[in-house]
Amino acid sequence: MRDIFEGLNYLHTRQPPVCHGNLKPLNILVTSSCHAVISDFSSARFADLPIEGVPPGSSQNVTSKDNQEHVHESITGTVLSQIAVSVVGDELVLTGPVKLLQLSPPEVVEGGPYGLAGDVWRAGWVCWEVVTGKSPPAEPDVAEPPTQVLVKEKLLSNGEAGNLSCLTGLCRVMKGCWAAEPHDRRTALQCRDDLQSLQSEHLEPDHPPTCDLPPAQVLLEIGQAQAAENNHETAVSLIQLAWSIAISEEDPVSSAEASFRLGDLYRAQSKLPQAEETWAQSLELYAHVDDSQGLANTFLALGHIYRLQSKYHEAEESFVRAEELYVLNLDDLGQANALRGLGQIYQVRSMWDDAEETYRQAEESYARLGEGCEHDRANTLDWLGEVYRARSKYGEAEGCLTRAEEIFVRLGDERGQARMLAGLGEISRLRLKDLEAEA
């Protein structure tokens, strides 16, 4: 974060000053020496002054600590209280008016100009995302949002011992970035100095800051956090960058992990050819580092991608390879998942004996693994019931769907239960039809 504010200060003290205009984690690159570099100047522009009435390079007016707790009047006359941020246990707690808890500065949201103080506002949210791995909270989609909201997010680092005072210091920096009025915010220079002082307090002079993880791994973790929030485009960009860095630094383990995660993101976006191509590269990378579990997971993922594209021969081969590797790795859950995927291929190809056998093996494995696999077991029983029904084995089909329905009831899955009841009704209809035909 100190590097980011150093970069902002450089921009803000040019003649004329430069507004970045689009500061966000995606536009922050991490070098191999763990320094942050600001990128993407497509939204940058010259600013006549940092903020109205303050000459370039000078400090912005900063209110006292007491005054920062008071309410301020915005450019449209709306009264805005300040954001409060603090560490509570292993969480970062954020409170404030809903109009302030968003990435865009409040003066811009209300139709005002974007000044240098807007860059500082957005830098505060970059700090939030670095500490929590989460994007700014989304504005509530309601007609009359609450005037005050409370947001809690788990810290990526723990809040114990020495970390607590460091995190508290970061909270002060964020609060200084998030003053409701632009002229009350800290300057980029002041934020940099605040962080420099904080670093001096927590690092020994002979021990410069280092990253616990390689830069590629840092980007992978941030990308995964974005993916968890369904920010897929941002996650793809971050993981693509992580992959490029891993390749340039000859880090085959991170390269393999990045390619696998990227393929998973393409699958989530229904970009099946891209997922297939990316996972094909993952196979080569995992083979290079002799990671049999990574290979098994990739074969399993490719099997599903091939199935969705009706490439059944390739899907069968992938599921068979995945199952063999999971057996070698003593991974019972992986083996069950591969067998279930194989059963789906046999079923769609009307290979009923093979489908029945693989589904039965998968269901028995899920049963042995216990409660955590109950949902998978119920779905497998459903598919096994379909195989029995297609072969007019109505008694066996009814038994499978009845057991699946009981599991869905235990899990509180009403949709699953309704689906099984509908299937049981269809079996009864088919039985009656057969009896009528015999009569």
Side-chain angles (χ1 to χ4, degrees):
M1 284 306 305
R2 186 195 64 180
D3 293 338
I4 294 170
F5 284 113
E6 180 76 64
L8 281 183
N9 181 60
Y10 177 84
L11 295 174
H12 292 181
T13 54
R14 298 306 89 198
Q15 296 292 342
V18 177
C19 281
H20 184 274
N22 191 27
L23 196 67
K24 56 185 178 182
L26 183 59
N27 293 335
I28 307 298
L29 306 182
V30 181
T31 69
S32 59
S33 57
C34 291
H35 286 288
V37 179
I38 299 173
S39 68
D40 187 1
F41 289 85
S42 58
S43 300
R45 62 176 179 80
F46 291 119
D48 294 330
L49 293 172
I51 57 174
E52 185 176 354
V54 180
S58 66
S59 297
Q60 292 165 287
N61 297 324
V62 182
T63 58
S64 68
K65 182 177 179 181
D66 292 336
N67 287 339
Q68 287 182 2
E69 300 296 337
H70 295 165
V71 296
H72 295 267
E73 189 171 344
S74 70
I75 58 175
T76 60
T78 305
V79 174
L80 297 175
S81 62
Q82 299 289 359
I83 293 177
V85 58
S86 58
V87 179
V88 179
D90 61 350
E91 294 180 322
L92 201 61
V93 178
L94 191 65
T95 58
V98 67
K99 293 181 68 174
L100 294 186
L101 298 185
Q102 53 187 306
L103 183 59
S104 296
E107 63 271 17
V108 175
V109 172
E110 295 179 353
Y114 186 104
L116 302 188
D119 282 346
V120 174
W121 174 275
R122 293 177 71 103
W125 285 113
V126 173
C127 188
W128 163 270
E129 193 157 344
V130 167
V131 174
T132 66
K134 302 292 184 180
S135 299
E139 185 175 353
D141 185 19
V142 292
E144 296 182 2
T147 56
Q148 294 282 329
V149 295
L150 182 145
V151 178
K152 294 182 179 181
E153 295 291 358
K154 291 285 186 182
L155 294 161
L156 292 181
S157 176
N158 64 60
E160 298 177 359
N163 279 339
L164 181 58
S165 59
C166 183
L167 291 167
T168 301
L170 285 173
C171 288
R172 289 195 298 269
V173 173
M174 284 186 275
K175 185 175 179 180
C177 295
W178 290 334
E181 293 298 327
H183 60 264
D184 288 335
R185 284 175 213 149
R186 306 284 280 174
T187 63
L189 177 61
Q190 289 170 327
C191 290
R192 186 209 65 181
D193 290 345
D194 291 341
L195 288 167
Q196 179 66 52
S197 298
L198 190 61
Q199 179 178 312
S200 299
E201 293 173 8
H202 293 278
L203 287 175
E204 298 177 17
D206 296 333
H207 292 77
T210 58
C211 292
D212 293 331
L213 295 172
Q217 284 291 330
V218 172
L219 288 169
L220 282 172
E221 292 301 321
I222 298 173
Q224 281 296 95
Q226 291 292 327
E229 294 185 2
N230 294 320
N231 297 328
H232 290 140
E233 290 297 337
T234 300
V236 165
S237 298
L238 286 165
I239 292 176
Q240 284 176 333
L241 180 58
W243 194 2
S244 298
I245 291 174
I247 291 172
S248 67
E249 296 188 347
E250 299 182 352
D251 180 355
V253 174
S254 295
S255 294
E257 184 179 356
S259 66
F260 183 82
R261 293 189 184 186
L262 187 60
D264 202 35
L265 284 169
Y266 286 143
R267 179 201 55 78
Q269 295 176 298
S270 298
K271 297 179 178 179
L272 304 186
Q274 291 95 320
E276 178 185 338
E277 181 182 356
T278 304
W279 276 331
Q281 295 178 65
S282 300
L283 289 178
E284 296 179 6
L285 292 165
Y286 281 125
H288 179 67
V289 296
D290 196 25
D291 185 342
S292 60
Q293 188 68 18
L295 281 170
N297 292 337
T298 307
F299 275 121
L300 180 66
L302 271 171
H304 289 297
I305 289 296
Y306 287 137
R307 176 178 60 82
L308 291 171
Q309 297 179 95
S310 301
K311 297 180 178 180
Y312 300 128
H313 178 71
E314 293 89 340
E316 180 182 355
E317 288 185 340
S318 292
F319 285 131
V320 168
R321 291 293 306 279
E323 196 256 343
E324 290 171 348
L325 287 166
Y326 284 130
V327 169
L328 291 174
N329 293 337
L330 304 179
D331 184 342
D332 292 339
L333 177 58
Q335 182 186 3
N337 291 335
L339 286 168
R340 186 178 64 178
L342 197 55
Q344 290 175 302
I345 300 303
Y346 292 145
Q347 180 179 356
V348 77
R349 296 170 75 180
S350 300
M351 299 169 65
W352 303 120
D353 288 338
D354 292 328
E356 179 181 337
E357 178 61 22
T358 50
Y359 277 146
R360 273 199 317 100
Q361 292 179 33
E363 188 272 329
E364 290 170 0
S365 294
Y366 287 132
R368 287 195 302 271
L369 289 167
E371 293 183 1
C373 297
E374 285 284 78
H375 204 275
D376 290 321
R377 183 188 177 198
N379 283 325
T380 304
L381 284 167
D382 179 20
W383 292 324
L384 181 56
E386 288 181 3
V387 170
Y388 284 135
R389 188 179 66 186
R391 306 181 76 181
S392 300
K393 295 183 177 182
Y394 299 129
E396 292 90 336
E398 184 176 15
C400 287
L401 268 59
T402 299
R403 283 190 289 158
E405 189 224 348
E406 292 170 352
I407 294 172
F408 284 128
V409 169
R410 287 202 303 270
L411 296 175
D413 185 339
E414 295 181 354
R415 287 188 177 182
Q417 182 186 4
R419 197 170 74 249
M420 295 307 99
L421 290 172
L424 288 168
E426 177 65 11
I427 289 171
S428 297
R429 187 190 69 80
L430 291 171
R431 274 179 161 172
L432 180 61
K433 184 178 178 180
D434 285 356
L435 288 173
E436 291 174 347
E438 291 175 3

